[in-house]
Amino acid sequence: MEAAAASRCGPFPETCAAVAMPCLLNTCQRGALRAALQGRLIVVCFGAGVDSTAMLLALRAAGLRPGAITFADTGGEKPETLSHIERMQAILRAWDWPPIEPCRVRTQSGTPYADLYGNCWTNETLPSLAFGMKSCSIRWKHVPQDQHLMGVTRGPNRRPPHPLWLRSRAQGERIVKLIGYDCGRADRRRACATFAAGRADGPFDFVYPLQLIGWTRADCVRAIAADLGPDMVPVKSACYFCPASRPWELFWLAGHHPALLDASLGLERRALTGRHSRFDAVDFGSSWEDMVRDAPSFPSTKTTVGLGRSFAWNHWARLNGVVGEDFIVLRGQRRRFIRLAQQLQSEDNALDARAGLATGAGNAE
């Protein structure tokens, strides 16, 4: 069923008398999910954010139980995300569902790093997304989840195949992976044909349940708040040093986890002044360090100038009074940083919606 058709039925139009609360799915939406997934071997790729949490709720409302739930741990998740996973584990136990199974890259003995941050630090570089590529996501998220299911015969990631994989082989059925892409513009782009085409010959099928039922991120937030409570709406799930972070997220990080922002700034400085720096002082008229300290802005360039690709986090932090002369986050301005983060938040993030739901402001996304 097309997402638009599902959304015309309304997000929560019915009432479940047994629990005296709105049903999360209407008849059209339940039918769409069951038609696509009933009888299939299901693996949920749980990202621990709003969309993937809402996806679990939608599956349960449709009477669909996954065979496995995997989470790719890059080692760079925010503490709130890890806490949300633990809280969801308790909920899954109450549902008698499979637990969330962490999947993590194991490096060779003697490798001087064990996670994505360490990899970037050791190699004096930034996550590949800062250069417009996706290799960090493939290596640290996609591959470990595939290996967790299919097994690995040798090396530090050696492990037996998952029971669900063995079952799929024995029955001659393909596992379908569920991805929590919602009906927002960005997620619809991510789930476009080119994304699926790159995996068409792979061992798994891919389905996007939130798009089948027509849920936007706003619907996801409302579903979580209605079913689990507003305090269960999670923060955005991403590495704390993710190049896709927006200014409000940097203020949020400065207010809630200044040490993590310090680590991110250090990583950026090491990469942009290290042996693999793409910053050429001849082209820019001064060094990256001088630009960060003294320039009002970076010149327009196709060269990546920092974690933000087109902007350096160190430069942003200096201009916005987030750091001192030593480029360490100021510890006495937590309330200011959090206030600025709240002012910059828009309708496309979970923190904004959670605050609105909790205070009754109605600012749901």
Side-chain angles (χ1 to χ4, degrees), residues 89-328:
Q89 295 282 34
I91 290 171
L92 293 172
R93 286 194 295 270
W95 292 355
D96 192 28
W97 272 29
I100 299 166
E101 303 176 39
C103 309
R104 190 164 182 173
V105 171
R106 294 183 176 87
T107 54
Q108 293 281 356
S109 176
T111 301
Y113 59 83
D115 57 20
L116 176 55
Y117 182 94
N119 182 197
C120 292
W121 182 269
T122 299
N123 293 319
E124 298 183 17
T125 189
L126 302 173
S128 63
L129 188 58
F131 306 113
M133 298 179 288
K134 298 283 188 178
S135 60
C136 59
S137 181
I138 293 172
R139 178 184 179 188
W140 297 92
K141 290 188 175 183
H142 298 167
V143 170
Q145 289 184 93
D146 287 355
Q147 291 179 338
H148 185 81
L149 293 172
M150 300 168 63
V152 181
T153 59
R154 62 175 66 89
N157 294 285
R158 180 177 179 180
R159 60 174 296 112
H162 195 281
L164 195 67
W165 175 259
L166 296 176
R167 180 180 167 189
S168 75
R169 299 298 93 185
Q171 297 177 183
E173 298 181 22
R174 288 171 65 87
I175 289 175
V176 56
K177 283 190 173 186
L178 306 187
I179 312 295
Y181 288 152
D182 61 44
C183 283
R185 182 180 302 175
D187 274 5
R188 290 187 71 81
R189 285 200 303 268
R190 294 186 185 102
C192 68
T194 54
F195 181 93
R199 293 159 176 77
D201 297 329
F204 305 105
D205 294 333
F206 291 83
V207 170
Y208 314 111
L210 299 178
Q211 296 188 356
L212 288 177
I213 61 177
W215 277 9
T216 63
R217 187 174 294 264
D219 296 322
C220 292
V221 170
R222 286 193 288 267
I224 297 169
D227 202 26
L228 302 179
D231 66 319
M232 282 299 295
V233 178
V235 304
K236 180 180 177 181
S237 175
C239 292
Y240 60 85
F241 52 95
C242 178
S245 299
R246 301 178 184 181
W248 76 263
E249 294 174 273
L250 302 187
F251 277 124
W252 184 91
L253 197 61
H256 290 279
H257 302 291
L260 297 184
L261 184 53
D262 286 339
S264 303
L265 297 176
L267 180 66
E268 179 186 69
R269 183 178 297 276
R270 181 176 174 87
L272 270 298
T273 60
R275 64 183 184 276
H276 300 308
S277 173
R278 298 186 178 191
F279 194 93
D280 190 342
V282 174
D283 293 338
F284 289 87
S286 59
S287 69
W288 183 88
E289 182 75 32
D290 291 338
M291 294 287 290
V292 164
R293 287 190 175 275
D294 301 322
S297 65
F298 272 89
S300 178
T301 175
K302 294 182 179 180
T303 300
T304 295
V305 300
L307 269 172
R309 292 193 69 183
S310 61
F311 75 97
W313 286 21
N314 278 271
H315 188 252
W316 171 90
R318 185 191 67 80
L319 290 180
N320 287 278
V322 174
V323 297
E325 288 296 320
D326 56 0
F327 283 85
I328 300 298

Side-chain angles (χ1 to χ4, degrees), residues 344-364:
L344 290 174
Q345 287 167 16
S346 61
E347 293 183 354
D348 65 350
N349 68 78
L351 289 174
D352 181 52
R354 183 177 60 173
L357 287 165
T359 61
N363 192 21

